[in-house]
Amino acid sequence: MALVNTTPELLSELKLHGIREALPKRLEELHSQQWSPSEFLNVCLQDEQLHRQNVRLLRRLREAGFPIPASLENLDFTSERKLKRSQIRELGSASFVTQGQNILIAGPTGVGKTHLACALGQAACRQGFTTLFFPLNRLLEKMALARAQGRYLNLLKKLTAVSVVVCDDFGLRALTPQQLQDIYDLVDGRVESLTTIITTQLPVENWSEVLPDPVLCDAITDRIVQKAILLEMEGESYRKKRFKGGHTDPP
């Protein structure tokens, strides 16, 4: 009996928290289901495995920095948005990450581009991929600060190692020459094997308006667009609908 009473403490000391949490239930099932010792051990190990998977998932979601929780299952698939349910369902497997494909989400303001980008990023996290989310202006500020502090190469190494980087609101304003170089460094380091998800109101053919150097504009555009999956969204702004008393948030 003393051994049973100390089991939870031993499990905590060994950091087997999944087994510890499920143990009371499993001990009841041991008798009711008439498990063999090996069956009981296998179930307990599965509990621990699931617990550790959930802990890692929560860590990935937290470190990604998503501004909102989002799910592909709750997207707005009405004809107004022009999203194809079958295509989004396929993207939910995060196969685009294993294939090193970028995703370009284009459309007018307020149609749910950020929500979709977050949902895709969180789907990637659930499939085990590391992800980082940045509004583009915040990312550029972060890169400028790192450069000033002599940490630019370390930051770039981090940004070109993570499986998925989400850049929200690309093309809101023209970039400076240094910002152009920073964006080139980022996309060049991620080309071919890593996924970048970009949301933008600006059609690709108009990117030269915000990427004023023709050579860097071509280089950046080519590295983003090649192998990219284009998701074009349409419809009335959710913010305008909220103002009118309609939908409160993107589904």
Side-chain angles (χ1 to χ4, degrees):
M1 182 63 68
L3 179 60
V4 173
N5 289 338
T6 60
T7 298
E9 288 73 20
L10 289 172
L11 291 172
S12 294
E13 184 177 342
L14 294 170
K15 301 187 185 304
L16 297 173
H17 303 297
I19 295 178
R20 186 184 190 281
E21 292 175 5
L23 186 60
K25 177 183 177 182
R26 297 310 184 197
L27 286 173
E28 292 179 2
E29 293 175 331
L30 171 63
H31 300 292
S32 64
Q33 302 294 328
Q34 296 184 331
W35 285 335
S36 67
S38 62
E39 288 173 329
F40 176 71
L41 177 60
N42 185 58
V43 170
C44 289
L45 291 175
Q46 289 178 1
D47 289 332
E48 183 62 30
Q49 181 184 47
L50 180 60
H51 173 79
R52 295 189 182 194
Q53 289 173 346
N54 288 336
V55 168
R56 288 193 292 268
L57 171 59
L58 291 174
R59 183 184 302 117
R60 287 193 297 272
L61 290 171
R62 182 179 65 252
E63 293 177 349
F66 295 111
I68 54 172
S71 169
L72 294 175
E73 290 76 15
N74 295 326
L75 292 175
D76 183 356
F77 289 104
T78 58
S79 58
E80 180 185 26
R81 296 300 165 201
K82 303 297 184 182
L83 291 176
K84 297 179 181 178
R85 190 183 296 271
S86 59
Q87 183 181 29
I88 298 300
R89 186 184 302 113
E90 182 178 351
L91 292 175
S93 68
S95 59
F96 62 92
V97 183
T98 59
Q99 296 171 17
Q101 292 178 285
N102 296 329
I103 296 182
L104 184 60
I105 305 172
T109 184
V111 296
K113 298 187 300 296
T114 299
H115 190 93
L116 175 55
C118 286
L120 289 169
Q122 289 168 44
C125 285
R126 290 185 173 87
Q127 294 298 326
F129 297 106
T130 54
T131 305
L132 290 174
F133 177 98
F134 298 100
L136 182 63
N137 63 325
R138 296 286 184 270
L139 175 58
L140 291 171
E141 290 172 0
K142 189 178 184 71
M143 296 177 84
L145 180 61
R147 185 182 295 280
Q149 296 177 341
R151 299 183 294 102
Y152 182 77
L153 292 180
N154 289 337
L155 175 60
L156 193 62
K157 183 178 180 180
K158 177 181 178 181
L159 293 173
T160 54
V162 68
S163 300
V164 180
V165 168
V166 182
C167 293
D168 194 30
D169 282 334
F170 180 90
L172 287 183
R173 62 174 183 269
L175 303 185
T176 67
Q178 185 59 69
Q179 290 173 334
L180 270 172
Q181 184 62 53
D182 290 347
I183 291 298
Y184 173 79
D185 290 345
L186 173 65
V187 299
D188 185 59
R190 299 185 57 78
V191 71
E192 295 291 351
S193 59
L194 297 169
T195 293
T196 305
I197 299 175
I198 291 176
T199 73
T200 182
Q201 298 179 43
L202 200 62
V204 173
E205 56 268 24
N206 294 341
W207 281 10
S208 59
E209 298 174 9
V210 296
L211 306 176
D213 183 305
V215 175
L216 282 177
C217 178
D218 286 346
I220 291 169
T221 302
D222 180 70
R223 283 161 174 76
I224 291 175
V225 172
Q226 71 167 339
K227 294 175 62 177
I229 299 170
L230 176 61
L231 301 176
E232 294 184 286
M233 302 182 69
E234 298 180 9
E236 185 179 4
S237 167
Y238 285 108
R239 300 181 187 93
K240 290 181 180 178
K241 285 189 175 185
R242 182 167 58 236
F243 180 77
K244 294 176 182 178
H247 295 298
T248 56
D249 291 294

